[in-house]
Amino acid sequence: MISTKTFSSTIRRSFKEFSRNYSDRHDLLIVGGGIMGSSTAHWVAQRTRGHSYSIGVLEPDPGYSTAATTLSVGGLRQQFSLEENVQIGLFARDFMSNYPHSLVNKEEDLYSNLPDVRFQRHGYLFLASEAGQHILQENHRTQASCGARTRILSSSQLQQTFPWLNTDGVVSGCYGGEDEGWFDPWALLQAFKLQAVHTGAEYVNGKVVGFQSRDGRPYEATVELEDGSMHLIQFNKLLITAGGDSGEVGKMLDIGLGEDDLSVPIPVEKRKRYVYVPHCPEGPGMDCPLVVDPSGVYFRREGLGGNYLCGQSPTEEEEPSNTNLDEIDMDFFMEAVWPVLASRVPAFECLKVRTAWAGNYDYNYWDQNGVIGKHPVLDNVYMACGFSGHGIQQGPAVGKAMSELILDGRYQRIDLEKFGFHRLLRKEKVLERNIV
């Protein structure tokens, strides 16, 4: 594995080589080259290597400057309430533990210059008040039944383990230890992308602007390339992994604009979230996990220089009015985030914010879980979108599952049928309690 700086120049040279002459037909065309699209491209390419199976990936922003994938805090956990999400987290744990060898079956198939994803095994710590303790315990039972090694800590155990933590109002916490933590999101994305290209996938620097159908079935995409020219790409199967733009891509296929089952849209849109970077030399040390307060405010350590990442998902009333990533609401930090930080960790009373950034979730406004699987009407159209902030950590497992569904017609390792489009037709919500 190589450093991020060296890898950045290597990957730019590599993708220029593969983007000079785009193909006009693919067996599988993927709209969106973020973590879901690149993970799926990789797993499909691994399965079909040597079988003349063509994979194309459309990505309008090859630098991923506004992608939800690269603007996330890169968390990895098993602390969810739904069994499927726990299993996805366990897959991610095992994948990261064996990276980069977990990408391939044969060592000789591994690309030689993959980046270091820098998995930091510092854990997650979910704190619960008396009102939320029963939910924490129920979630823990689900996690344990799936094989996760999370454990419940009492208030006194929390104080002993994390002496910098003020446990006023906290009854217990759930701690994931070394199975959880965080990593470099950009590096993981590029690892999947570079390995996919190495195995034969073609990345197209362009944006889909329309589709053509025959007998009610889409078969061709119109793509606007970076130079403004138009390029037509035919396909057998189509996968929508366009993040917050997935709902709009769906509309190009009449999903949400048609009749009967086609009248139901892909309920995914962009929603802006803020990440603040305060500096506090006297704050928690290397034993600091990613802490989630009962209020929803979270924080974790970032590196060795006394910096931290923190934030909070807003309520519906607090949702930002736009998705402009250049506009960052510092008042939200002062009014909603800092008071909780200072109360929970007394050292944070004297922190100073050094910088901040904004990123757009691919937000599923129906139930905040991914929409995964085949469309019930357009039988050659698949989707994996709407992960509402959990996409980067769920990418390895979901991409693997999508490769199984696309190539075998069914899920094998993890059954993700619960997250299918059919729940939208039936107006059923699949709710996850541990949304951060």
Side-chain angles (χ1 to χ4, degrees), residues 355-377:
T355 187
W357 76 81
N360 285 323
Y361 275 12
D362 59 322
Y363 189 83
N364 177 352
Y365 54 82
W366 175 246
D367 61 13
Q368 291 103 69
N369 268 301
V371 181
I372 307 170
K374 183 192 292 189
H375 191 270
V377 177

Side-chain angles (χ1 to χ4, degrees), residues 150-402:
T150 57
R151 55 194 176 100
I152 296 291
L153 301 177
S154 66
S155 178
S156 59
Q157 288 174 318
L158 287 170
Q159 288 179 322
Q160 183 177 6
T161 307
F162 307 107
W164 41 263
L165 186 70
N166 177 10
T167 59
D168 288 351
V170 171
V171 176
S172 60
C174 191
Y175 180 50
E178 65 179 15
D179 287 349
E180 300 180 323
W182 51 90
F183 56 90
D184 184 336
W186 188 88
L188 181 65
L189 168 60
Q190 297 299 344
F192 273 115
K193 183 174 182 180
L194 192 57
Q195 187 65 41
V197 171
H198 177 65
T199 316
E202 178 182 59
Y203 276 71
V204 178
N205 185 4
K207 178 181 181 180
V208 65
V209 295
F211 293 98
Q212 290 67 249
S213 297
R214 182 186 296 131
D215 299 325
R217 201 169 188 256
Y219 74 96
E220 186 178 62
T222 302
V223 180
E224 182 179 357
L225 301 178
E226 59 179 328
D227 61 2
S229 64
M230 296 297 173
H231 183 62
L232 298 178
I233 303 177
Q234 295 188 358
F235 53 84
N236 289 337
K237 294 181 178 180
L238 179 73
L239 173 62
I240 302 172
T241 54
D245 292 320
S246 295
E248 293 301 313
V249 173
K251 290 178 182 178
M252 297 180 194
L253 296 160
D254 280 342
I255 300 175
L257 301 177
E259 298 179 351
D260 300 322
D261 288 350
L262 278 174
S263 68
V264 178
I266 299 173
V268 177
E269 63 186 18
K270 292 179 180 178
R271 291 205 182 180
K272 186 162 66 173
R273 297 291 181 264
Y274 307 111
V275 179
Y276 304 98
V277 187
H279 179 66
C280 183
E282 304 303 319
M286 292 303 294
D287 65 335
C288 180
L290 194 155
V291 180
V292 183
D293 187 79
S295 65
V297 169
Y298 70 86
F299 66 89
R300 71 162 172 85
R301 192 172 181 89
E302 174 68 359
L304 302 176
N307 293 323
Y308 299 82
L309 303 185
C310 62
Q312 182 184 30
S313 290
T315 64
E316 283 292 327
E317 294 73 24
E318 295 170 332
E319 280 287 350
S321 59
N322 62 68
T323 58
N324 183 349
L325 301 185
D326 293 328
E327 296 180 8
I328 300 172
D329 187 352
M330 295 306 300
D331 289 339
F332 185 71
F333 174 81
M334 298 297 294
E335 297 169 6
V337 179
W338 192 10
V340 176
L341 294 179
S343 173
R344 190 60 60 208
V345 180
F348 282 159
E349 290 182 3
C350 57
L351 62 75
K352 293 182 179 180
V353 176
R354 282 191 162 177
T355 187
W357 76 81
N360 285 323
Y361 275 12
D362 59 322
Y363 189 83
N364 177 352
Y365 54 82
W366 175 246
D367 61 13
Q368 291 103 69
N369 268 301
V371 181
I372 307 170
K374 183 192 292 189
H375 191 270
V377 177
L378 306 176
D379 64 1
N380 67 330
V381 175
Y382 300 78
M383 61 196 73
C385 53
F387 293 90
S388 305
H390 303 129
I392 185 63
Q393 62 179 297
Q394 297 190 325
V398 173
K400 178 76 168 177
M402 290 307 302

Side-chain angles (χ1 to χ4, degrees), residues 23 25-32 37 41 53-58 200-204 233 237 239:
S23 302
R25 189 188 181 284
H26 290 290
D27 294 290
L28 172 64
L29 183 64
I30 300 174
V31 181
Y53 192 95
S54 177
I55 304 163
V57 185
L58 304 181
E202 178 182 59
Y203 276 71
V204 178
I233 303 177
K237 294 181 178 180
L239 173 62

